[in-house]
PDB file of all heavy atoms in Angstrom:
ATOM      1  N   MET A 217      65.894  81.608 -93.911  1.00 51.00           N
ATOM      2  CA  MET A 217      65.552  81.267 -92.544  1.00 51.00           C
ATOM      3  C   MET A 217      65.593  79.757 -92.413  1.00 51.00           C
ATOM      4  O   MET A 217      65.006  79.052 -93.206  1.00 51.00           O
ATOM      5  CB  MET A 217      64.154  81.810 -92.240  1.00 51.00           C
ATOM      6  CG  MET A 217      63.674  81.463 -90.873  1.00 51.00           C
ATOM      7  SD  MET A 217      62.009  82.045 -90.470  1.00 51.00           S
ATOM      8  CE  MET A 217      61.740  83.432 -91.470  1.00 51.00           C
ATOM      9  N   THR A 218      66.302  79.302 -91.418  1.00 61.00           N
ATOM     10  CA  THR A 218      66.364  77.860 -91.228  1.00 61.00           C
ATOM     11  C   THR A 218      65.109  77.382 -90.521  1.00 61.00           C
ATOM     12  O   THR A 218      64.437  78.129 -89.822  1.00 61.00           O
ATOM     13  CB  THR A 218      67.601  77.467 -90.397  1.00 61.00           C
ATOM     14  OG1 THR A 218      67.442  77.973 -89.078  1.00 61.00           O
ATOM     15  CG2 THR A 218      68.883  77.970 -91.019  1.00 61.00           C
ATOM     16  N   CYS A 219      64.827  76.117 -90.696  1.00 78.00           N
ATOM     17  CA  CYS A 219      63.634  75.520 -90.090  1.00 78.00           C
ATOM     18  C   CYS A 219      63.690  75.637 -88.568  1.00 78.00           C
ATOM     19  O   CYS A 219      62.683  75.918 -87.931  1.00 78.00           O
ATOM     20  CB  CYS A 219      63.513  74.069 -90.533  1.00 78.00           C
ATOM     21  SG  CYS A 219      61.978  73.304 -90.023  1.00 78.00           S
ATOM     22  N   SER A 220      64.867  75.448 -87.986  1.00 91.00           N
ATOM     23  CA  SER A 220      64.963  75.519 -86.526  1.00 91.00           C
ATOM     24  C   SER A 220      64.688  76.938 -86.022  1.00 91.00           C
ATOM     25  O   SER A 220      64.013  77.107 -85.006  1.00 91.00           O
ATOM     26  CB  SER A 220      66.327  75.034 -86.044  1.00 91.00           C
ATOM     27  OG  SER A 220      67.351  75.871 -86.532  1.00 91.00           O
ATOM     28  N   HIS A 221      65.187  77.958 -86.720  1.00 91.00           N
ATOM     29  CA  HIS A 221      64.901  79.338 -86.324  1.00 91.00           C
ATOM     30  C   HIS A 221      63.412  79.627 -86.459  1.00 91.00           C
ATOM     31  O   HIS A 221      62.815  80.272 -85.601  1.00 91.00           O
ATOM     32  CB  HIS A 221      65.700  80.332 -87.164  1.00 91.00           C
ATOM     33  CG  HIS A 221      67.124  80.422 -86.755  1.00 91.00           C
ATOM     34  ND1 HIS A 221      68.123  80.681 -87.652  1.00 91.00           N
ATOM     35  CD2 HIS A 221      67.730  80.294 -85.556  1.00 91.00           C
ATOM     36  CE1 HIS A 221      69.284  80.715 -87.018  1.00 91.00           C
ATOM     37  NE2 HIS A 221      69.061  80.476 -85.742  1.00 91.00           N
ATOM     38  N   TYR A 222      62.817  79.149 -87.529  1.00 91.00           N
ATOM     39  CA  TYR A 222      61.384  79.319 -87.767  1.00 91.00           C
ATOM     40  C   TYR A 222      60.603  78.727 -86.602  1.00 91.00           C
ATOM     41  O   TYR A 222      59.710  79.360 -86.045  1.00 91.00           O
ATOM     42  CB  TYR A 222      61.030  78.632 -89.085  1.00 91.00           C
ATOM     43  CG  TYR A 222      59.587  78.734 -89.502  1.00 91.00           C
ATOM     44  CD1 TYR A 222      59.143  79.838 -90.224  1.00 91.00           C
ATOM     45  CD2 TYR A 222      58.676  77.725 -89.208  1.00 91.00           C
ATOM     46  CE1 TYR A 222      57.829  79.935 -90.631  1.00 91.00           C
ATOM     47  CE2 TYR A 222      57.356  77.822 -89.610  1.00 91.00           C
ATOM     48  CZ  TYR A 222      56.944  78.925 -90.321  1.00 91.00           C
ATOM     49  OH  TYR A 222      55.638  79.023 -90.716  1.00 91.00           O
ATOM     50  N   ASN A 223      60.968  77.514 -86.204  1.00 94.00           N
ATOM     51  CA  ASN A 223      60.273  76.839 -85.107  1.00 94.00           C
ATOM     52  C   ASN A 223      60.498  77.536 -83.770  1.00 94.00           C
ATOM     53  O   ASN A 223      59.578  77.606 -82.948  1.00 94.00           O
ATOM     54  CB  ASN A 223      60.701  75.381 -85.019  1.00 94.00           C
ATOM     55  CG  ASN A 223      60.178  74.561 -86.171  1.00 94.00           C
ATOM     56  OD1 ASN A 223      59.145  74.877 -86.744  1.00 94.00           O
ATOM     57  ND2 ASN A 223      60.908  73.527 -86.534  1.00 94.00           N
ATOM     58  N   ILE A 224      61.700  78.059 -83.535  1.00 94.00           N
ATOM     59  CA  ILE A 224      61.983  78.780 -82.294  1.00 94.00           C
ATOM     60  C   ILE A 224      61.058  79.989 -82.177  1.00 94.00           C
ATOM     61  O   ILE A 224      60.443  80.222 -81.136  1.00 94.00           O
ATOM     62  CB  ILE A 224      63.466  79.223 -82.238  1.00 94.00           C
ATOM     63  CG1 ILE A 224      64.372  78.011 -82.025  1.00 94.00           C
ATOM     64  CG2 ILE A 224      63.684  80.266 -81.150  1.00 94.00           C
ATOM     65  CD1 ILE A 224      65.845  78.304 -82.217  1.00 94.00           C
ATOM     66  N   VAL A 225      60.933  80.743 -83.258  1.00 95.00           N
ATOM     67  CA  VAL A 225      60.108  81.950 -83.235  1.00 95.00           C
ATOM     68  C   VAL A 225      58.625  81.590 -83.114  1.00 95.00           C
ATOM     69  O   VAL A 225      57.898  82.191 -82.319  1.00 95.00           O
ATOM     70  CB  VAL A 225      60.373  82.834 -84.470  1.00 95.00           C
ATOM     71  CG1 VAL A 225      59.450  84.045 -84.474  1.00 95.00           C
ATOM     72  CG2 VAL A 225      61.826  83.288 -84.500  1.00 95.00           C
ATOM     73  N   LEU A 226      58.160  80.600 -83.865  1.00 95.00           N
ATOM     74  CA  LEU A 226      56.752  80.203 -83.775  1.00 95.00           C
ATOM     75  C   LEU A 226      56.408  79.687 -82.384  1.00 95.00           C
ATOM     76  O   LEU A 226      55.343  80.002 -81.849  1.00 95.00           O
ATOM     77  CB  LEU A 226      56.420  79.141 -84.819  1.00 95.00           C
ATOM     78  CG  LEU A 226      56.278  79.630 -86.254  1.00 95.00           C
ATOM     79  CD1 LEU A 226      55.903  78.473 -87.167  1.00 95.00           C
ATOM     80  CD2 LEU A 226      55.260  80.745 -86.365  1.00 95.00           C
ATOM     81  N   ASP A 227      57.293  78.912 -81.786  1.00 96.00           N
ATOM     82  CA  ASP A 227      57.058  78.421 -80.422  1.00 96.00           C
ATOM     83  C   ASP A 227      56.974  79.598 -79.437  1.00 96.00           C
ATOM     84  O   ASP A 227      56.131  79.602 -78.544  1.00 96.00           O
ATOM     85  CB  ASP A 227      58.157  77.457 -79.982  1.00 96.00           C
ATOM     86  CG  ASP A 227      58.045  76.094 -80.642  1.00 96.00           C
ATOM     87  OD1 ASP A 227      56.970  75.780 -81.202  1.00 96.00           O
ATOM     88  OD2 ASP A 227      59.033  75.344 -80.587  1.00 96.00           O
ATOM     89  N   ALA A 228      57.861  80.571 -79.615  1.00 97.00           N
ATOM     90  CA  ALA A 228      57.845  81.740 -78.737  1.00 97.00           C
ATOM     91  C   ALA A 228      56.530  82.511 -78.889  1.00 97.00           C
ATOM     92  O   ALA A 228      55.922  82.912 -77.897  1.00 97.00           O
ATOM     93  CB  ALA A 228      59.036  82.644 -79.034  1.00 97.00           C
ATOM     94  N   ILE A 229      56.086  82.700 -80.133  1.00 96.00           N
ATOM     95  CA  ILE A 229      54.814  83.393 -80.371  1.00 96.00           C
ATOM     96  C   ILE A 229      53.672  82.639 -79.698  1.00 96.00           C
ATOM     97  O   ILE A 229      52.819  83.239 -79.035  1.00 96.00           O
ATOM     98  CB  ILE A 229      54.549  83.563 -81.877  1.00 96.00           C
ATOM     99  CG1 ILE A 229      55.526  84.581 -82.479  1.00 96.00           C
ATOM    100  CG2 ILE A 229      53.098  83.996 -82.137  1.00 96.00           C
ATOM    101  CD1 ILE A 229      55.494  84.661 -83.997  1.00 96.00           C
ATOM    102  N   ASN A 230      53.659  81.336 -79.842  1.00 96.00           N
ATOM    103  CA  ASN A 230      52.588  80.528 -79.246  1.00 96.00           C
ATOM    104  C   ASN A 230      52.576  80.615 -77.723  1.00 96.00           C
ATOM    105  O   ASN A 230      51.523  80.454 -77.106  1.00 96.00           O
ATOM    106  CB  ASN A 230      52.709  79.071 -79.688  1.00 96.00           C
ATOM    107  CG  ASN A 230      52.328  78.881 -81.132  1.00 96.00           C
ATOM    108  OD1 ASN A 230      51.533  79.634 -81.683  1.00 96.00           O
ATOM    109  ND2 ASN A 230      52.906  77.882 -81.761  1.00 96.00           N
ATOM    110  N   ASN A 231      53.742  80.861 -77.107  1.00 97.00           N
ATOM    111  CA  ASN A 231      53.835  80.914 -75.653  1.00 97.00           C
ATOM    112  C   ASN A 231      53.745  82.328 -75.081  1.00 97.00           C
ATOM    113  O   ASN A 231      53.801  82.493 -73.861  1.00 97.00           O
ATOM    114  CB  ASN A 231      55.126  80.235 -75.184  1.00 97.00           C
ATOM    115  CG  ASN A 231      55.059  78.737 -75.384  1.00 97.00           C
ATOM    116  OD1 ASN A 231      54.114  78.090 -74.948  1.00 97.00           O
ATOM    117  ND2 ASN A 231      56.036  78.187 -76.074  1.00 97.00           N
ATOM    118  N   LEU A 232      53.603  83.305 -75.954  1.00 97.00           N
ATOM    119  CA  LEU A 232      53.421  84.683 -75.499  1.00 97.00           C
ATOM    120  C   LEU A 232      51.929  84.960 -75.318  1.00 97.00           C
ATOM    121  O   LEU A 232      51.083  84.243 -75.865  1.00 97.00           O
ATOM    122  CB  LEU A 232      54.010  85.658 -76.531  1.00 97.00           C
ATOM    123  CG  LEU A 232      55.525  85.781 -76.524  1.00 97.00           C
ATOM    124  CD1 LEU A 232      56.016  86.478 -77.783  1.00 97.00           C
ATOM    125  CD2 LEU A 232      56.001  86.537 -75.292  1.00 97.00           C
ATOM    126  N   PRO A 233      51.583  86.015 -74.567  1.00 97.00           N
ATOM    127  CA  PRO A 233      50.166  86.365 -74.415  1.00 97.00           C
ATOM    128  C   PRO A 233      49.535  86.767 -75.752  1.00 97.00           C
ATOM    129  O   PRO A 233      50.241  86.923 -76.760  1.00 97.00           O
ATOM    130  CB  PRO A 233      50.186  87.559 -73.456  1.00 97.00           C
ATOM    131  CG  PRO A 233      51.582  87.817 -73.095  1.00 97.00           C
ATOM    132  CD  PRO A 233      52.468  86.877 -73.835  1.00 97.00           C
ATOM    133  N   GLN A 234      48.235  86.985 -75.748  1.00 97.00           N
ATOM    134  CA  GLN A 234      47.494  87.342 -76.966  1.00 97.00           C
ATOM    135  C   GLN A 234      48.104  88.547 -77.664  1.00 97.00           C
ATOM    136  O   GLN A 234      48.160  88.617 -78.874  1.00 97.00           O
ATOM    137  CB  GLN A 234      46.023  87.611 -76.610  1.00 97.00           C
ATOM    138  CG  GLN A 234      45.112  87.863 -77.799  1.00 97.00           C
ATOM    139  CD  GLN A 234      44.863  86.623 -78.631  1.00 97.00           C
ATOM    140  OE1 GLN A 234      45.058  85.509 -78.171  1.00 97.00           O
ATOM    141  NE2 GLN A 234      44.439  86.820 -79.855  1.00 97.00           N
ATOM    142  N   GLU A 235      48.558  89.521 -76.882  1.00 96.00           N
ATOM    143  CA  GLU A 235      49.223  90.694 -77.435  1.00 96.00           C
ATOM    144  C   GLU A 235      50.631  90.763 -76.856  1.00 96.00           C
ATOM    145  O   GLU A 235      50.823  90.597 -75.653  1.00 96.00           O
ATOM    146  CB  GLU A 235      48.442  91.967 -77.108  1.00 96.00           C
ATOM    147  CG  GLU A 235      48.950  93.156 -77.874  1.00 96.00           C
ATOM    148  CD  GLU A 235      47.985  94.331 -77.855  1.00 96.00           C
ATOM    149  OE1 GLU A 235      46.773  94.120 -78.071  1.00 96.00           O
ATOM    150  OE2 GLU A 235      48.457  95.453 -77.628  1.00 96.00           O
ATOM    151  N   PHE A 236      51.607  90.993 -77.715  1.00 96.00           N
ATOM    152  CA  PHE A 236      53.006  91.007 -77.287  1.00 96.00           C
ATOM    153  C   PHE A 236      53.783  92.016 -78.108  1.00 96.00           C
ATOM    154  O   PHE A 236      53.347  92.425 -79.188  1.00 96.00           O
ATOM    155  CB  PHE A 236      53.631  89.606 -77.436  1.00 96.00           C
ATOM    156  CG  PHE A 236      53.612  89.075 -78.845  1.00 96.00           C
ATOM    157  CD1 PHE A 236      54.695  89.273 -79.694  1.00 96.00           C
ATOM    158  CD2 PHE A 236      52.510  88.374 -79.327  1.00 96.00           C
ATOM    159  CE1 PHE A 236      54.676  88.788 -80.999  1.00 96.00           C
ATOM    160  CE2 PHE A 236      52.488  87.878 -80.622  1.00 96.00           C
ATOM    161  CZ  PHE A 236      53.566  88.095 -81.454  1.00 96.00           C
ATOM    162  N   SER A 237      54.946  92.416 -77.603  1.00 93.00           N
ATOM    163  CA  SER A 237      55.788  93.377 -78.321  1.00 93.00           C
ATOM    164  C   SER A 237      56.893  92.652 -79.081  1.00 93.00           C
ATOM    165  O   SER A 237      57.260  91.520 -78.760  1.00 93.00           O
ATOM    166  CB  SER A 237      56.409  94.378 -77.349  1.00 93.00           C
ATOM    167  OG  SER A 237      57.383  93.748 -76.550  1.00 93.00           O
ATOM    168  N   SER A 238      57.419  93.345 -80.064  1.00 90.00           N
ATOM    169  CA  SER A 238      58.557  92.809 -80.817  1.00 90.00           C
ATOM    170  C   SER A 238      59.734  92.560 -79.879  1.00 90.00           C
ATOM    171  O   SER A 238      60.454  91.578 -80.023  1.00 90.00           O
ATOM    172  CB  SER A 238      58.988  93.793 -81.910  1.00 90.00           C
ATOM    173  OG  SER A 238      57.950  94.015 -82.821  1.00 90.00           O
ATOM    174  N   ARG A 239      59.905  93.453 -78.919  1.00 91.00           N
ATOM    175  CA  ARG A 239      61.008  93.323 -77.960  1.00 91.00           C
ATOM    176  C   ARG A 239      60.861  92.042 -77.135  1.00 91.00           C
ATOM    177  O   ARG A 239      61.830  91.324 -76.913  1.00 91.00           O
ATOM    178  CB  ARG A 239      61.065  94.533 -77.036  1.00 91.00           C
ATOM    179  CG  ARG A 239      62.268  94.501 -76.102  1.00 91.00           C
ATOM    180  CD  ARG A 239      62.361  95.715 -75.219  1.00 91.00           C
ATOM    181  NE  ARG A 239      62.364  96.980 -75.908  1.00 91.00           N
ATOM    182  CZ  ARG A 239      63.448  97.561 -76.429  1.00 91.00           C
ATOM    183  NH1 ARG A 239      64.609  96.952 -76.341  1.00 91.00           N
ATOM    184  NH2 ARG A 239      63.372  98.730 -77.019  1.00 91.00           N
ATOM    185  N   GLU A 240      59.636  91.727 -76.696  1.00 93.00           N
ATOM    186  CA  GLU A 240      59.399  90.498 -75.933  1.00 93.00           C
ATOM    187  C   GLU A 240      59.770  89.276 -76.768  1.00 93.00           C
ATOM    188  O   GLU A 240      60.379  88.333 -76.256  1.00 93.00           O
ATOM    189  CB  GLU A 240      57.929  90.386 -75.518  1.00 93.00           C
ATOM    190  CG  GLU A 240      57.506  91.339 -74.434  1.00 93.00           C
ATOM    191  CD  GLU A 240      56.026  91.253 -74.176  1.00 93.00           C
ATOM    192  OE1 GLU A 240      55.232  91.618 -75.063  1.00 93.00           O
ATOM    193  OE2 GLU A 240      55.665  90.793 -73.064  1.00 93.00           O
ATOM    194  N   LEU A 241      59.413  89.315 -78.037  1.00 93.00           N
ATOM    195  CA  LEU A 241      59.728  88.189 -78.917  1.00 93.00           C
ATOM    196  C   LEU A 241      61.238  88.061 -79.095  1.00 93.00           C
ATOM    197  O   LEU A 241      61.783  86.962 -79.029  1.00 93.00           O
ATOM    198  CB  LEU A 241      59.024  88.362 -80.264  1.00 93.00           C
ATOM    199  CG  LEU A 241      59.143  87.208 -81.242  1.00 93.00           C
ATOM    200  CD1 LEU A 241      58.655  85.890 -80.641  1.00 93.00           C
ATOM    201  CD2 LEU A 241      58.369  87.526 -82.512  1.00 93.00           C
ATOM    202  N   GLN A 242      61.920  89.173 -79.271  1.00 93.00           N
ATOM    203  CA  GLN A 242      63.384  89.158 -79.388  1.00 93.00           C
ATOM    204  C   GLN A 242      64.028  88.567 -78.141  1.00 93.00           C
ATOM    205  O   GLN A 242      64.977  87.785 -78.237  1.00 93.00           O
ATOM    206  CB  GLN A 242      63.916  90.582 -79.573  1.00 93.00           C
ATOM    207  CG  GLN A 242      63.929  91.069 -80.984  1.00 93.00           C
ATOM    208  CD  GLN A 242      64.577  92.435 -81.023  1.00 93.00           C
ATOM    209  OE1 GLN A 242      63.922  93.439 -80.785  1.00 93.00           O
ATOM    210  NE2 GLN A 242      65.858  92.465 -81.303  1.00 93.00           N
ATOM    211  N   GLU A 243      63.525  88.936 -76.980  1.00 94.00           N
ATOM    212  CA  GLU A 243      64.089  88.444 -75.726  1.00 94.00           C
ATOM    213  C   GLU A 243      63.905  86.933 -75.580  1.00 94.00           C
ATOM    214  O   GLU A 243      64.739  86.257 -74.989  1.00 94.00           O
ATOM    215  CB  GLU A 243      63.450  89.168 -74.543  1.00 94.00           C
ATOM    216  CG  GLU A 243      63.891  90.611 -74.430  1.00 94.00           C
ATOM    217  CD  GLU A 243      63.095  91.411 -73.416  1.00 94.00           C
ATOM    218  OE1 GLU A 243      62.162  90.857 -72.795  1.00 94.00           O
ATOM    219  OE2 GLU A 243      63.414  92.599 -73.250  1.00 94.00           O
ATOM    220  N   ARG A 244      62.837  86.408 -76.143  1.00 95.00           N
ATOM    221  CA  ARG A 244      62.583  84.962 -76.065  1.00 95.00           C
ATOM    222  C   ARG A 244      63.334  84.175 -77.132  1.00 95.00           C
ATOM    223  O   ARG A 244      63.384  82.950 -77.061  1.00 95.00           O
ATOM    224  CB  ARG A 244      61.094  84.687 -76.202  1.00 95.00           C
ATOM    225  CG  ARG A 244      60.318  85.259 -75.027  1.00 95.00           C
ATOM    226  CD  ARG A 244      59.217  84.384 -74.644  1.00 95.00           C
ATOM    227  NE  ARG A 244      58.429  84.994 -73.582  1.00 95.00           N
ATOM    228  CZ  ARG A 244      57.418  84.416 -73.018  1.00 95.00           C
ATOM    229  NH1 ARG A 244      57.046  83.224 -73.421  1.00 95.00           N
ATOM    230  NH2 ARG A 244      56.751  85.014 -72.067  1.00 95.00           N
ATOM    231  N   CYS A 245      63.887  84.878 -78.112  1.00 95.00           N
ATOM    232  CA  CYS A 245      64.601  84.215 -79.216  1.00 95.00           C
ATOM    233  C   CYS A 245      65.993  84.831 -79.391  1.00 95.00           C
ATOM    234  O   CYS A 245      66.310  85.381 -80.452  1.00 95.00           O
ATOM    235  CB  CYS A 245      63.810  84.370 -80.515  1.00 95.00           C
ATOM    236  SG  CYS A 245      62.130  83.807 -80.452  1.00 95.00           S
ATOM    237  N   PRO A 246      66.852  84.745 -78.366  1.00 94.00           N
ATOM    238  CA  PRO A 246      68.150  85.427 -78.440  1.00 94.00           C
ATOM    239  C   PRO A 246      69.083  84.888 -79.524  1.00 94.00           C
ATOM    240  O   PRO A 246      69.986  85.596 -79.951  1.00 94.00           O
ATOM    241  CB  PRO A 246      68.739  85.218 -77.041  1.00 94.00           C
ATOM    242  CG  PRO A 246      68.052  84.003 -76.518  1.00 94.00           C
ATOM    243  CD  PRO A 246      66.682  84.013 -77.120  1.00 94.00           C
ATOM    244  N   THR A 247      68.857  83.670 -79.986  1.00 93.00           N
ATOM    245  CA  THR A 247      69.742  83.093 -81.010  1.00 93.00           C
ATOM    246  C   THR A 247      69.267  83.395 -82.429  1.00 93.00           C
ATOM    247  O   THR A 247      69.935  83.020 -83.387  1.00 93.00           O
ATOM    248  CB  THR A 247      69.847  81.569 -80.840  1.00 93.00           C
ATOM    249  OG1 THR A 247      68.550  80.998 -81.009  1.00 93.00           O
ATOM    250  CG2 THR A 247      70.411  81.206 -79.480  1.00 93.00           C
ATOM    251  N   VAL A 248      68.136  84.096 -82.542  1.00 94.00           N
ATOM    252  CA  VAL A 248      67.573  84.404 -83.859  1.00 94.00           C
ATOM    253  C   VAL A 248      67.759  85.892 -84.128  1.00 94.00           C
ATOM    254  O   VAL A 248      67.438  86.730 -83.287  1.00 94.00           O
ATOM    255  CB  VAL A 248      66.069  84.042 -83.912  1.00 94.00           C
ATOM    256  CG1 VAL A 248      65.491  84.356 -85.282  1.00 94.00           C
ATOM    257  CG2 VAL A 248      65.857  82.580 -83.559  1.00 94.00           C
ATOM    258  N   GLY A 249      68.278  86.232 -85.299  1.00 93.00           N
ATOM    259  CA  GLY A 249      68.497  87.632 -85.665  1.00 93.00           C
ATOM    260  C   GLY A 249      67.195  88.390 -85.844  1.00 93.00           C
ATOM    261  O   GLY A 249      66.167  87.833 -86.212  1.00 93.00           O
ATOM    262  N   ILE A 250      67.254  89.701 -85.606  1.00 91.00           N
ATOM    263  CA  ILE A 250      66.065  90.548 -85.701  1.00 91.00           C
ATOM    264  C   ILE A 250      65.480  90.542 -87.107  1.00 91.00           C
ATOM    265  O   ILE A 250      64.259  90.584 -87.280  1.00 91.00           O
ATOM    266  CB  ILE A 250      66.354  91.987 -85.210  1.00 91.00           C
ATOM    267  CG1 ILE A 250      65.079  92.836 -85.211  1.00 91.00           C
ATOM    268  CG2 ILE A 250      67.430  92.646 -86.060  1.00 91.00           C
ATOM    269  CD1 ILE A 250      63.972  92.316 -84.320  1.00 91.00           C
ATOM    270  N   ASN A 251      66.321  90.473 -88.127  1.00 93.00           N
ATOM    271  CA  ASN A 251      65.794  90.464 -89.492  1.00 93.00           C
ATOM    272  C   ASN A 251      64.969  89.210 -89.762  1.00 93.00           C
ATOM    273  O   ASN A 251      63.939  89.278 -90.443  1.00 93.00           O
ATOM    274  CB  ASN A 251      66.922  90.592 -90.521  1.00 93.00           C
ATOM    275  CG  ASN A 251      67.530  91.973 -90.504  1.00 93.00           C
ATOM    276  OD1 ASN A 251      66.880  92.955 -90.175  1.00 93.00           O
ATOM    277  ND2 ASN A 251      68.803  92.054 -90.854  1.00 93.00           N
TER     278      ASN A 251
END
């Protein structure tokens, strides 16, 4: 995992509500693979 992908996903998690779905996270990180 590259540092930029890591940061993209962490930023998305931080900006999502307290509870979120995997699908919501995927939609916010379209350039990051599901794995």
